[in-house]
């Protein structure tokens, strides 16, 4: 799995941080998403999927084949 | 599927919007509103101004449209389906900063304050909010019984929290609570709303001036620094202050009272909230209450900037669009058996905070306040109950943000 985030779309809601804190964080100054791990281990995949669907800005994209 | 303006599945006569809720079902969207869904995910309604904007009822279509930059949130657009009559023309009289702007202007302003609402910053405030809740409850329990939960807890809590975060003196709360209430009232005249807006604006403008002279570590002082750096005008700062002060008030307050009232109707689920050891139970319960109650009702309002094809229809450039979150949150395709309150269900996909670029800025804070307040209330006051009949509770059928005017409780 390869994750990309669209900083321009992100509204800093932090839902991804709550669901998958090992993979996502937020910038201090404006809360915009910080990708900690673009290719997380299998153990995190379910949480990353959940984060991508819950993200209110549709700012998280997943490439499953990569 | 057809793109003609009057499709086969359109009602013969355009229904009026909005329609009052059924008195027997104060927690549910009005039957007429729910009936709109039978015309498909998109249909036309007739508003108070005799215009005929689209309403969007489906969860999926709302998510798609609210993420589409071709829909504008600008209040001053001629096609904007305003929920209330307004004085018109003068931008200043309704300036609510970025909630009524489109990107990139919207993002420029929003990102100046969004750092104050990260998960970490909000978590750091949780112990302080716990203490505040305890203090309000101690005072309520020491005072007259029955009490009005709106005045004892629901309004002062979010008011105090947002005041401290912004750096607004809480002593002035009567002033800003009164003016906020007028602004979100649907029965106030346009002139009354404009006057309330001016009052708040002038108050915030003066405060920003004080922060410029003697800054602290609050949000308004941060805006002061942006003004000094030439990145923000004083007018923009004051308008942003009005938006934040307002946004933090009636919304959270109504969730506190309505959530309490709803749980009192479901004693078994209330007991689960009171007795939960696992914070996940509370987190989930709060999401379900947000979904079920959808207090910011009667729709996100937008104007189409270009023609948009969706669900076999065409929204024409210039037409108004009303996206009904309370119906998205009762969409059976997303929430099985949607009219059943179930604090154990996965309700995280609700749209109570909106969707897309205008997704509620204050939502981490609001969620945290609600996660603290419900269990604290039911634990400190285990015998809490209504001091009147449900039928005698005055609901805000007339306000942009739904809730109750008073919630008499006893213990
Ligand atoms: C449970 C409580 C709350 C609910 C249900 C709620 C709901 C909403 C909704 C639905 C929107 C979207 C508006 C739109 O799309 O046009 C919104 C926007 C907003 N809310 Fe909240 N809100 C709550 C609490 C708060 C709090 C505590 C604040 C405090 C700062 C706040 C500040 C804002 C702001 C600034 C916006 C505008 C965001 C933007 O345009 O980018 N809200 N809120
Ligand atoms: C949450 C979804 C919301 C939507 C869709 C929404 C939309 C609107 C719209 C369309 C107007 C009418 C503006 C006009 O035509 O003059 C309006 C008025 C207003 N809204 Fe909201 N609003 C929402 C929430 C909020 C929130 C969260 C706040 C505060 C942050 C807020 C504060 C106000 C105020 C104060 C007015 C009155 C402006 C005036 O007419 O003077 N609203 N809102
Ligand atoms: S959930 Fe989406 S909008 Fe929120 S911080 Fe994460 S990427 Fe950004």
């Amino acid at each position: 799995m390869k994750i990309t985030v669209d900083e321009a779309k992100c509204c800093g809601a932090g839902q991804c941080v709550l669901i998958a804190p090992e993979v996502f964080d937020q910038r201090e100054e404006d809360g915009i998403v910080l990708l900690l791990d673009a290719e997380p281990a299998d153990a995190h995949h379910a949480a990353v999927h959940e984060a991508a669907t819950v993200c209110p800005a549709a700012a998280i994209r997943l490439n499953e084949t990569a | 599927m057809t793109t003609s303006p009057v499709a086969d599945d359109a009602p013969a006569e355009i229904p009026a919007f909005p329609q009052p809720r059924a008195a027997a079902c104060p927690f549910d969207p009005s039957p007429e509103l729910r009936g709109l869904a039978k015309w498909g995910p998109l249909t036309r309604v007739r508003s108070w101004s005799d215009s005929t904007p689209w309403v969007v009822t489906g969860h999926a279509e709302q998510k798609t449209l609210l993420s589409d930059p071709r829909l504008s949130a600008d209040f001053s657009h001629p096609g904007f389906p305003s929920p209330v009559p307004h004085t018109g023309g003068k931008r200043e009289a309704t300036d609510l900063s970025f909630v009524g702007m489109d990107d990139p202007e919207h993002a420029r302003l929003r990102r100046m304050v969004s750092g104050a609402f990260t998960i970490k910053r909000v978590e750091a405030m949780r112990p302080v909010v716990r203490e505040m809740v305890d203090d309000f409850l101690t005072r309520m329990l020491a005072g007259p019984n029955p009490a009005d939960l709106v005045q004892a807890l629901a309004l002062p809590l979010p008011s105090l929290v947002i005041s401290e975060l912004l750096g607004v003196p809480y002593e002035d709360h009567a002033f800003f609570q009164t003016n906020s209430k007028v602004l979100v009232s649907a029965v106030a005249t346009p002139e009354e709303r404009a006057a309330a807006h001016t009052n708040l604006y002038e108050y915030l403008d003066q405060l920003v001036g004080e922060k410029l002279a003697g800054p602290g570590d609050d949000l308004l002082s941060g805006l002061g620094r942006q003004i000094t750096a030439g990145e923000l005008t004083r007018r923009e700062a004051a308008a942003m202050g009005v938006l934040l002060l307002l946004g933090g008030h009636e919304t959270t307050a109504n969730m506190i009272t309505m959530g309490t009232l709803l749980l009192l109707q479901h004693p078994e689920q209330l007991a689960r909230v009171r007795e939960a050891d696992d914070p996940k139970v509370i987190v989930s319960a709060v999401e379900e209450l947000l979904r079920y109650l959808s207090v910011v009702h009667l729709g996100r309002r937008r104007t189409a900037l270009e023609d948009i094809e969706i669900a076999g229809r065409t929204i024409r450039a210039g037409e108004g669009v009303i996206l009904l979150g309370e119906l998205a949150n009762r969409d059976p395709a997303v929430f099985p058996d949607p009219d059943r309150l179930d604090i154990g269900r996965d309700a995280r996909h609700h749209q109570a905070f909106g969707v897309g670029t205008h997704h509620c800025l204050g939502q981490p804070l609001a969620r945290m306040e609600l996660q603290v307040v419900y269990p604290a209330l039911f634990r400190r006051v285990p015998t809490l109950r209504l001091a009147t009949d449900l039928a005698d509770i005055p609901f805000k059928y007339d306000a942009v943000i739904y809730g109750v005017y008073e919630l008499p409780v006893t213990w």
Side-chain angles (χ1 to χ4, degrees), chain B residues 233-271:
Chain B
T233 67
R234 185 153 162 179
R235 160 162 284 285
E236 286 173 331
M240 225 183 315
V242 175
L243 171 63
L244 293 173
L245 189 59
L246 205 65
H249 262 101
E250 293 281 327
T251 47
T252 317
N254 286 311
M255 266 309 296
I256 295 174
T257 43
M258 290 293 284
T260 303
L261 183 54
L262 183 58
L263 285 171
L264 286 171
Q265 315 303 309
H266 296 267
E268 182 269 332
Q269 301 196 51
L270 186 151

Side-chain angles (χ1 to χ4, degrees), chain A residues 7-15 17-19 25-32 50 53-57, chain B residues 63 67 103 110-112 114-121 346 348-349 354-357 359 361 363-364 367:
Chain A
E7 288 183 10
K9 270 184 159 181
C10 171
C11 62
Q15 293 307 292
V17 183
L18 283 173
I19 297 169
D25 199 354
Q26 288 175 286
R27 293 202 298 240
E28 289 245 336
E29 65 275 21
D30 56 10
I32 298 308
E50 176 71 8
T53 23
V54 168
C55 172
Chain B
K63 192 164 180 190
S67 310
D103 290 327
R110 177 171 164 136
R111 287 181 183 196
M112 287 186 191
S114 51
F117 298 90
T118 62
I119 301 294
K120 276 190 198 122
R121 294 282 290 275
D346 180 6
R348 264 194 297 203
H349 302 72
V355 179
T357 191
H359 183 258
L361 174 71
Q363 72 41 54
R367 283 181 154 123

